[in-house]
Amino acid sequence: MTAVAAYAAPAAKAPLERTTIARRPVGPHDVLIEIKYSGICHSDIHQVKEEWGESLFPMVPGHEIAGVVTAVGDQVTKHKVGDRVGVGCFVDSCGECDNCKAGMEQFCLTGATATYPVDPNGDHMYGGYSTHIVVTENFALKIPEGVALDVAAPLLCAGITLYSPLKRWGAGPGKKVAVVGLGGLGHMGVKIAAALGAEVTVLSQSLRKQEDGLRLGAEAFYATSDPATFEELAGSFDLIVSTVSANFDLNAILGLVKTGGVFVNVGAPADPLPVHLFSLIDGNKTLAGSMIGGIAETQEMLDFCAEHGLGADIELIDADRINEAYDRVLAGDVRYRFVIDAATI
């Protein structure tokens, strides 16, 4: 075991503080990654605050990791020392179940191993707010030279979370796509949908971020707080992807979907949302959900972003500002992703 520096929450709801953690030795199929950058996802805050159920502490969050390989096991074939790599929301799966064989390792039927905070056996896992991490070679993604490591880090969660549903439900030329919410997830949805060739509209609570939305690639921007929006845009969109974690009027949003269109939810509101089934029946509409993507699809997303010059809009911070960044995320005061400079850990 090797001791490395990290930032951890010592207990639920406690501020994060600098500490040291143990990383396992590099096994035959492992790679050791020197972490350069780690994104701050809103789910990190949920986990630290123990809002998704009981967990293990101390907790080192972080599943948007970008770095460089510094050592490889003697049977590693996919990576070499010096490679630019990323690690996302999970670091292992069984590889044998139907979902794993179909490239959906995130839905491993025996339980994918999350980057943090626990594995399927209930053992401690430490995330990316640290200087180094050891992972199995199959779960380290290649980051192409066409995207810088700092803006690539959020792609490992925010990027794939939006790329997967946009690709699956056919965002592209001739399709009208709406992205609900312009935050860490939503801003990547606008960029990716526009790069795919779709006509993109942002639906946000207010027009406060309108200039940003148009800069990122949207052709239109509407406020959901304005009742006229729902009259003007009724039945307009082939695909709507909602990224918001706050409660919203799902039936009103479904009214904006075209006949035969799709509404996909990737956000995670805390409370159940009521749905009037006639909102779906009237128009043969589909209500769907999506969660990240498998390893192959995540690599496809990284290659796509590099090809199109896409990265997250970030604010780079030193590690001693993590707690401040958490407060600002909760206040909606970030455009659009905080990324930790791991050199400051």
Side-chain angles (χ1 to χ4, degrees), residues 149-231:
L149 288 180
D150 55 353
V151 300
L155 301 181
L156 276 301
C157 175
I160 185 58
T161 295
L162 273 297
Y163 181 85
S164 185
L166 289 168
K167 283 286 289 186
R168 179 178 178 185
W169 280 285
K175 294 296 183 72
K176 292 186 175 181
V177 174
V179 176
V180 184
L182 192 65
L185 295 178
H187 93 287
M188 285 308 309
V190 173
K191 289 187 178 189
I192 292 170
L196 287 167
E199 179 183 325
V200 186
T201 295
V202 175
L203 302 174
S204 186
Q205 177 69 16
S206 72
L207 299 179
R208 182 169 59 94
K209 298 179 181 178
Q210 182 174 24
E211 183 177 341
D212 278 0
L214 300 179
R215 172 181 59 81
L216 293 167
E219 298 184 30
F221 197 110
Y222 288 84
T224 55
S225 57
D226 183 354
T229 291
F230 296 91
E231 297 177 9

Side-chain angles (χ1 to χ4, degrees), residues 1-70:
M1 300 294 245
T2 301
V4 303
Y7 266 73
K13 301 179 177 63
L16 279 76
E17 57 189 36
R18 191 179 186 278
T19 186
T20 58
I21 58 172
R23 292 297 191 190
R24 73 172 188 260
V26 177
H29 295 284
D30 290 337
V31 294
L32 172 64
I33 301 168
E34 180 184 355
I35 298 173
K36 298 295 187 181
Y37 302 100
S38 185
I40 293 178
C41 179
H42 201 143
S43 62
D44 296 340
I45 301 174
H46 287 303
Q47 294 272 26
V48 165
K49 292 182 176 294
E50 212 169 39
E51 293 172 342
W52 290 348
E54 292 185 6
S55 192
L56 286 180
F57 292 87
M59 180 186 294
V60 177
H63 56 217
E64 297 182 338
I65 301 167
V68 175
V69 175
T70 57

Side-chain angles (χ1 to χ4, degrees), residues 101-176:
K101 290 179 179 179
M104 297 186 293
E105 297 93 343
Q106 73 273 32
F107 301 125
C108 176
L109 295 175
T110 63
T113 299
T115 307
Y116 82 93
V118 295
D119 69 11
N121 297 318
D123 294 328
H124 233 126
M125 298 292 293
Y126 296 118
Y129 296 9
S130 60
T131 59
H132 295 78
I133 190 170
V134 178
V135 300
T136 304
E137 63 172 323
N138 291 340
F139 291 82
L141 288 303
K142 293 183 182 297
I143 297 178
E145 292 293 337
V147 57
L149 288 180
D150 55 353
V151 300
L155 301 181
L156 276 301
C157 175
I160 185 58
T161 295
L162 273 297
Y163 181 85
S164 185
L166 289 168
K167 283 286 289 186
R168 179 178 178 185
W169 280 285
K175 294 296 183 72
K176 292 186 175 181

Side-chain angles (χ1 to χ4, degrees), residues 100 144-145 158 175 204 211 213 223 243 264 284 326 344:
C100 285
E145 292 293 337
K175 294 296 183 72
S204 186
E211 183 177 341
T243 68
V264 185
N284 288 351
Y326 274 27
T344 66

